[in-house]
Amino acid sequence: QVQVVESGGGLVQPGGSLRLSCAASGSIFSINTMGWYRQAPGKERELVAGITRGGSTNYADSVKGRFTISRDNAKNTVYLQMNSLKPEDTAVYYCCVNIVTMFQALLDYWGKGTLVTVSS
């Protein structure tokens, strides 16, 4: 089994910062891409940022220059540093990791999400 757990969400004022973390554990042989998605009320889930095992990154246009994704391969952990937060960043943030399991299966695993609320 594989577990994916996010942490770091909360309430922050506009212009503030938060750092999200996501740790994967369990029957993992290796991890390929790791990514953060978000879903705001009444909207579809969207990709926020992704990072390959080698460190290549991509971002949604709406967060470029404000958010930074990084990962620690030794800890099977991905981070999302969010700066200059705006009310429209309010959403449940989900972590998704593409894992090669010990049984050589290639699967996507999702966390349960962490709520980020940007409000004064």
Side-chain angles (χ1 to χ4, degrees), residues 2 26-31 53 76 99-105:
V2 174
S27 300
I28 298 170
F29 179 75
S30 66
I31 299 178
R53 184 171 181 82
N76 290 340
I99 291 174
V100 179
T101 71
M102 290 297 188
F103 302 100
Q104 298 300 298

Side-chain angles (χ1 to χ4, degrees), residues 26-104:
S27 300
I28 298 170
F29 179 75
S30 66
I31 299 178
N32 297 324
T33 302
M34 307 180 85
W36 288 97
Y37 292 73
R38 67 185 180 187
Q39 187 166 18
K43 295 188 177 182
E44 294 186 352
R45 190 173 298 188
E46 63 174 355
L47 175 67
V48 176
I51 185 168
T52 67
R53 184 171 181 82
S56 296
T57 60
N58 65 289
Y59 296 92
D61 288 343
S62 59
V63 307
K64 283 181 180 177
R66 299 188 298 122
F67 291 9
T68 301
I69 189 171
S70 61
R71 64 189 282 174
D72 185 332
N73 290 331
K75 296 181 179 179
N76 290 340
T77 300
V78 62
Y79 306 96
L80 186 67
Q81 178 66 44
M82 304 185 294
N83 299 328
S84 303
L85 282 161
K86 305 175 181 180
E88 50 263 44
D89 294 317
T90 294
V92 178
Y93 284 72
Y94 298 91
C95 174
C96 180
V97 293
N98 183 249
I99 291 174
V100 179
T101 71
M102 290 297 188
F103 302 100
Q104 298 300 298

